[in-house]
Amino acid sequence: MSFHNQNILPAMRNLKQLEQLLESHFEYIVLLEVHLSNLKSIKAEANRHGKKIIIHADLIQGLKTDDYAAEFLCNDICPAGIISTRANMILKAKSKGIIAIQRMFLLDTIALEKSYSLLERTKPDFIEILPGVIPQLISEVHARTGIPIISGGLIRTEEHVQEALNAGARAVTTSDAKLWAAFS
């Protein structure tokens, strides 16, 4: 499974960026920090432009990350993918054939070990590692889990993107429009 050789997954932080991304060559777009009431219209616009949306469920304003929210996203919005730290979101997405991306924070060794335990249970399609500027951990997590890695968070330069990709990340999520342009 891949994002059709798309190394950058542009992460839309607000509706102003939507038009830019709809006109871009990117097939996959990540939704961050949008309001729940806008999801259906964003999905409709994305469909009209041949784009696939990946929803970061934990950051959708007005949406709890409980089982009802998981059902709503999977059944009513039907995105290409869901990103979440929550096991219920990942398990529901997988059960519905939606790309499941487990978000993992690299805070310390204890958090890393707890994340490995969670990953054994959820078995997501991808792991999004944050911060994404630690290349050696990208390689380590992939080697330990066998799950493809997406790198995100604190990615500020083209060098950061290239280092993450060189370490084995399948893609890099970023809300930095300059990096979208550099890798378009």
Side-chain angles (χ1 to χ4, degrees):
M1 181 181 304
S2 72
F3 300 102
H4 301 123
N5 297 317
Q6 186 175 319
N7 290 332
I8 293 288
L9 295 173
M12 184 187 99
R13 290 185 150 277
N14 58 57
L15 291 176
K16 292 177 187 174
Q17 294 175 319
L18 180 61
E19 187 174 325
Q20 177 184 1
L21 289 172
L22 291 176
E23 299 302 324
S24 74
H25 80 282
F26 295 111
E27 180 180 4
Y28 290 88
I29 299 169
V30 178
L31 300 185
L32 305 174
E33 300 178 9
V34 298
H35 193 276
L36 174 65
S37 64
N38 293 322
L39 286 180
K40 286 187 180 185
S41 62
I42 291 171
K43 176 71 165 48
E45 278 299 303
N47 287 348
R48 265 194 289 286
H49 286 84
K51 307 296 182 184
K52 296 177 180 168
I53 62 169
I54 300 170
I55 297 175
H56 192 306
D58 303 357
L59 298 179
I60 299 300
Q61 299 161 358
L63 183 74
K64 288 177 63 174
T65 53
D66 59 12
D67 290 338
Y68 298 111
E71 285 285 336
F72 168 74
L73 289 179
C74 292
N75 295 334
D76 293 21
I77 305 300
C78 304
I82 291 178
I83 300 172
S84 183
T85 58
R86 304 285 307 254
N88 65 316
M89 284 285 176
I90 299 306
L91 294 170
K92 179 58 69 176
K94 286 187 64 74
S95 75
K96 298 291 186 172
I98 293 170
I99 299 168
I101 304 169
Q102 181 87 48
R103 194 173 230 205
M104 176 179 176
F105 293 101
L106 303 174
L107 302 174
D108 57 24
T109 302
I110 293 169
L112 184 61
E113 290 302 320
K114 286 183 179 181
S115 292
Y116 285 141
S117 294
L118 178 63
L119 293 165
E120 287 176 19
R121 188 164 61 93
T122 59
K123 297 182 180 7
D125 300 307
F126 292 90
I127 301 167
E128 183 186 33
I129 292 180
L130 285 93
V133 291
I134 310 173
Q136 62 272 28
L137 282 175
I138 293 169
S139 301
E140 177 186 316
V141 171
H142 182 260
R144 176 137 175 208
T145 64
I147 299 170
I149 305 297
I150 298 170
S151 180
L154 301 177
I155 303 287
R156 295 182 174 155
T157 66
E158 291 179 41
E159 291 78 24
H160 287 159
V161 172
Q162 202 55 56
E163 288 170 358
L165 295 171
N166 291 344
R170 290 276 180 94
V172 173
T173 56
T174 181
S175 58
D176 187 335
K178 291 180 295 218
L179 292 176
W180 303 345
F183 288 87
S184 61

